[in-house]
């Protein structure tokens, strides 16, 4: 059994109010505190089949252009998702299953590139726009009973479990991979937290669809890692990659060292804006017909109550591209 990171963006950052402010409010935290960010998803090679957990951003998604007010910047393109997959030595036709942690575009962006795979999705999320037109989606009803302290699970393969873990979205799920040889559990959690510091500090990010469910899920995750030797694999922090490489087990009494964010490069802006939550790109040349926004409308002139057409987050989670 191998678990590998599919790394496609690096050298970004997120602010403490974004990563910690889901319950107390972002104003309760220090906006000058930044944590490292990036983007990676994960691949499981069981020896018998290749399973992907999430499928990156859509090809061609522009980089963001951060400034001092940016809450989360996902970083520079290292390469596209499919290129990163090839860099690991795998081709799309080798993939037999895709396990989706949730619908957001930085997790579902290349689903269409795997038409021969079975795409497992929490039954609550099969109607999401990001899955529209895909004929190989399998709704998961979590019929295999409890797994450890999670009451609903689906066994995907020997040692691979898919767990209902809603809150960040109403169709969120967690993947756990058991390494029987080493006695480890690899938890691939999507965005239950955005950075590991939030796991240790017991803080929710500001991005969720159901606050009560998000709190319940984080409580279950913390109870799981306290009782089982767990390597915690995040999407938005390089700590996910570092934890995997070191096989570093969570110890809630020993928080990880917070490594300072490196120098951030500011670039010329295109006029487009990218949703930092789901990857939707607002193009002023196109506007937003469904919301009555005419082509030619700059992002700065959108109404204050305008929201992302895909994930319904407010304007302040968008970054200039």
């Amino acid at each position: 059994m191998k678990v590998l990171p599919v790394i496609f963006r690096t050298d970004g950052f997120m602010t403490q109010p974004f990563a910690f402010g889901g319950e107390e409010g972002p104003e309760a935290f220090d906006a000058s505190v930044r944590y490292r960010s990036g983007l990676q998803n994960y691949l499981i090679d069981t020896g018998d089949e290749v399973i992907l957990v999430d499928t990156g951003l859509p090809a061609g998604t522009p980089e963001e252009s951060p400034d001092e007010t940016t809450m989360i910047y996902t970083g520079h393109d290292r390469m596209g998702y499919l290129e990163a997959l090839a860099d690991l030595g795998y081709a799309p036709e080798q993939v037999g299953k895709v396990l989706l942690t949730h619908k957001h575009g930085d997790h579902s962006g290349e689903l269409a590139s795997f038409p021969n795979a079975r795409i497992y999705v929490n039954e609550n999320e099969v109607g999401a726009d990001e899955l529209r037109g895909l004929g190989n989606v399998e709704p998961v009803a979590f019929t295999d009973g409890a797994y450890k302290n999670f009451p609903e699970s689906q066994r995907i393969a020997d040692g691979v479990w898919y767990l209902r873990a809603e809150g960040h979205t109403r169709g969120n799920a967690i993947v756990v991979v058991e390494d029987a040889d080493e006695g480890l559990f690899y938890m691939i959690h999507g965005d239950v937290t955005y950075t590991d510091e939030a796991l240790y500090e017991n803080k929710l990010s500001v991005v969720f669809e159901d606050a009560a469910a998000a709190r319940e899920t984080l409580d279950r995750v913390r109870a799981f890692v306290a009782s089982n030797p767990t390597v915690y694999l995040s999407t938005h922090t390089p700590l996910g990659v570092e934890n995997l490489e070191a096989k570093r087990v969570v110890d809630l009494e020993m928080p990880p060292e917070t490594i300072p964010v490196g120098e951030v490069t500011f670039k010329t802006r295109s006029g487009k804006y990218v949703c930092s939550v789901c990857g939707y790109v607002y193009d002023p040349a196109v506007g937003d017909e469904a919301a009555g926004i005419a082509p030619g409308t700059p992002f700065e002139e959108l109404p204050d109550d305008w929201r992302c057409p895909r994930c319904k987050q407010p304007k302040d989670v968008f970054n200039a591209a």
Side-chain angles (χ1 to χ4, degrees), residues 4 12 16 20 50 74 85 93 108 120 132 142 165 171 183 189 197 203 221 245-246 254 284-285 290 302 307 321:
L4 300 170
Q16 190 180 73
F20 284 19
V50 177
T74 57
L85 186 65
E93 54 267 24
S108 64
Y120 291 78
R132 187 175 297 165
F142 303 95
H189 63 84
E197 286 89 349
K203 301 296 183 185
V221 166
E245 290 175 345
M254 295 287 290
L302 293 176
R307 289 182 171 264

Side-chain angles (χ1 to χ4, degrees), residues 86-108:
D87 195 49
L88 292 176
Y90 294 88
E93 54 267 24
Q94 292 177 263
V95 177
K97 295 173 183 171
V98 177
L99 310 181
L100 193 67
T101 64
H102 63 289
K103 62 188 177 183
H104 290 157
D106 50 348
H107 299 259
S108 64

Side-chain angles (χ1 to χ4, degrees), residues 223-256:
F224 183 98
V225 303
S227 300
N228 303 281
T230 303
V231 181
Y232 191 67
L233 302 183
S234 301
T235 298
H236 285 275
T237 170
L239 279 163
V241 178
E242 294 160 12
N243 291 343
L244 182 56
E245 290 175 345
K247 297 186 178 180
R248 182 183 299 128
V249 170
V250 173
D251 179 349
L252 292 176
E253 301 301 317
M254 295 287 290

Side-chain angles (χ1 to χ4, degrees), residues 78-237:
R78 175 177 177 262
M79 57 184 73
Y81 177 83
L82 293 176
E83 294 172 284
L85 186 65
D87 195 49
L88 292 176
Y90 294 88
E93 54 267 24
Q94 292 177 263
V95 177
K97 295 173 183 171
V98 177
L99 310 181
L100 193 67
T101 64
H102 63 289
K103 62 188 177 183
H104 290 157
D106 50 348
H107 299 259
S108 64
E110 287 292 340
L111 286 175
S113 296
F114 302 92
N116 299 323
R118 299 160 68 190
I119 301 172
Y120 291 78
V121 179
N122 183 328
E123 61 187 349
N124 291 345
E125 204 127 278
V126 293
D129 288 346
E130 292 86 348
L131 278 64
R132 187 175 297 165
L134 298 173
N136 52 334
V137 170
E138 297 206 8
V140 176
F142 303 95
T143 56
D144 287 335
Y147 177 81
K148 305 293 185 180
N149 64 316
F150 285 84
E152 296 179 83
S153 73
Q154 196 80 38
R155 179 183 171 277
I156 301 298
D158 286 344
V160 181
W161 296 86
Y162 191 63
L163 313 177
R164 193 189 293 272
E166 292 154 8
H168 177 67
T169 71
R170 293 185 176 89
N172 216 74
I174 286 172
V175 177
V176 171
V177 180
E178 300 174 351
D179 186 330
D181 292 335
E182 299 198 3
L184 296 176
F185 298 83
Y186 294 89
M187 177 177 279
I188 309 170
H189 63 84
D191 299 342
V192 171
T193 59
Y194 274 77
T195 187
D196 291 18
E197 286 89 349
L199 171 71
Y200 284 79
E201 293 294 330
N202 197 16
K203 301 296 183 185
L204 293 177
S205 81
V206 298
V207 184
F208 48 75
E209 292 182 351
D210 185 326
R215 166 44 60 192
E216 182 176 356
T217 289
L218 182 55
D219 288 346
R220 289 192 190 283
V221 166
R222 282 173 52 86
F224 183 98
V225 303
S227 300
N228 303 281
T230 303
V231 181
Y232 191 67
L233 302 183
S234 301
T235 298
H236 285 275
T237 170

Side-chain angles (χ1 to χ4, degrees), residues 11 13 34 73 76 260-266:
D11 301 321
F13 67 83
R34 290 177 175 176
Y73 165 52
H76 299 294
V261 173
E263 183 178 355
V264 178
T265 303
F266 299 94

